[in-house]
Every structure is written in structure tokens, then in C-alpha cells.
Amino acid sequence: MKKIFVRKIFGLSLVLLLFIQMVYLMAEPAKITAATAADDIIITLNVTSGVTISNGTDATMSPNMGVTSDRSVGSSSWTVATNSATGYVLAVKSLTSPALKNGTTDQFTDYTEATPGTPVAWGGVPAGGKEFGYSAYGADVLDATWGTADNCGNTGTGVTNVAQKYRGFSTSDVTIASRASVTPNVGVTSSICFAAEQNAVYASSGSYQATITATATAS
């Protein structure tokens, strides 16, 4: 009886041992999987939009106007840089109306366009009149509006470039250049041309000045 009992105990122990091993083997992979976890994070960098404009140089028109010269031209320029994804607008305006004056002594009428506000080729000034206007050129200047020249004319004779279109100054901003994207970090230069003419009349001697403000705005 003892031998049979011992055999039974041994057999049951062996079965129990095998059962425990099976349970361990089945449970172990689950423990490994449960020990792994993951998480994602998002990194954000905000870039602020900005715009800069260089200092334009003061312009002295040439040649001097007088009894032997009825025309004069001049120029200046600005360089605009922006990182705005939608670009910038460069606009100009005059501090006064009319723009070019010799104090209260004398003045030049702002250039008269056939269609007000629409630049046209400099077509001469009516007899008895004195007029002053402007044009522009550059990579971001619209040729269809301002013409296709890359200079303002002859500073020796004061004759304007025939490929340019002119208009009179306004005391409100008028766009001369724009783009719809980021500029190179060195910026983009736009030039402005000035033209004055007298016809069958003399401007009184003296110094005539116009104050022009250029404003660059990120779009």
C-alpha cells in the first residue's frame, strides 16, 4: 500500500510541476509586453514676421532748371527685406500738396495724368505750366503700371526715359513695389524717378523741395 501511495504522490507531484511550468511559460511573454510604453511630443518654433527698409538718399535733380533748361530729373531708392510668407508692399506719399514747392513763393503742380491716378508716359507740360511727377523701376515694380526702363533718364538734359510712366504725388500712400513671398535676406531694391518741367514760363529762382515718405509694410 505504501508503494502505491508513494507512486500516486510522485505522479501527482510530477503533473503539478509540469502544470506550473506551462503556466509560467504562458505568462512570461505577457509580462515582457506589459513593460513597454511609448509617448510622442510635438516641437513648435514660432517665427515672427518682420520687414526692414533702408534709408533712401536725398535727391538733387539735374540739370538745374533756369532760363536755358526747362527739364530736370532725379532719383533715389530703397531696399526692402521681409520674412513674411505673403511678402510686402512699398508705398510712397508726399508730405504736402503740391509736393514740390519753394516755400510760399512758387510751386510746381503735381503731374497731371490723362486718367487721374494712372501713370502715363511723360508727355510734356501744357504751355504756361510747371509740373513735377514720379515713376519707379526695380525687380518688384510692376512694369505694366510704371514702365519698362531701368533708369530715370538723362541727367545732363533732364529728359525722362521714354519707357517710363509717371504720375503726380498724393498725400496718401501709393504702391510702387510689392511681392507675395519672402525676399532674399539682402532685400530687394526699388528705385524712384523724379521729373520736373516748365513750358513757356519760368519758375522763380530759389530752392524747391518735396518731402517724400516711403513705407514698407509686411503683407
Side-chain angles (χ1 to χ4, degrees), residues 49-184:
S49 173
V51 64
T52 64
I53 183 172
S54 67
N55 292 325
T57 57
D58 294 340
T60 298
M61 301 180 69
S62 181
N64 292 343
M65 193 174 290
V67 295
T68 60
S69 178
D70 291 329
R71 295 181 174 186
S72 188
V73 295
S75 66
S76 188
S77 63
W78 297 277
T79 299
V80 177
T82 184
N83 67 342
S84 171
T86 51
Y88 76 94
V89 172
L90 175 63
V92 296
K93 66 180 178 181
S94 171
L95 182 65
T96 63
S97 179
L100 187 64
K101 300 191 294 183
N102 177 11
T104 58
T105 303
D106 201 356
Q107 62 190 23
F108 280 68
T109 302
D110 292 320
Y111 187 62
T112 305
E113 313 92 14
T115 301
T118 301
V120 292
W122 191 272
V125 173
K130 306 186 299 289
E131 296 191 4
F132 173 70
Y134 72 102
S135 184
Y137 68 88
D140 286 350
V141 175
L142 188 61
D143 288 350
T145 300
W146 298 100
T148 59
D150 60 0
N151 64 80
C152 296
N154 190 324
T155 56
T157 62
V159 176
T160 58
N161 193 310
V162 295
Q164 285 304 99
K165 298 178 181 180
Y166 283 79
R167 62 161 289 165
F169 273 104
S170 169
T171 54
S172 299
D173 281 331
V174 175
T175 297
I176 62 171
S178 64
R179 72 161 50 201
S181 61
V182 174
T183 67

Side-chain angles (χ1 to χ4, degrees), residues 194-218:
F194 308 108
E197 184 177 348
Q198 62 183 11
N199 184 6
V201 64
Y202 289 141
S204 59
S205 62
S207 178
Y208 292 72
Q209 291 187 334
T211 300
I212 308 303
T213 302
T215 303
T217 305

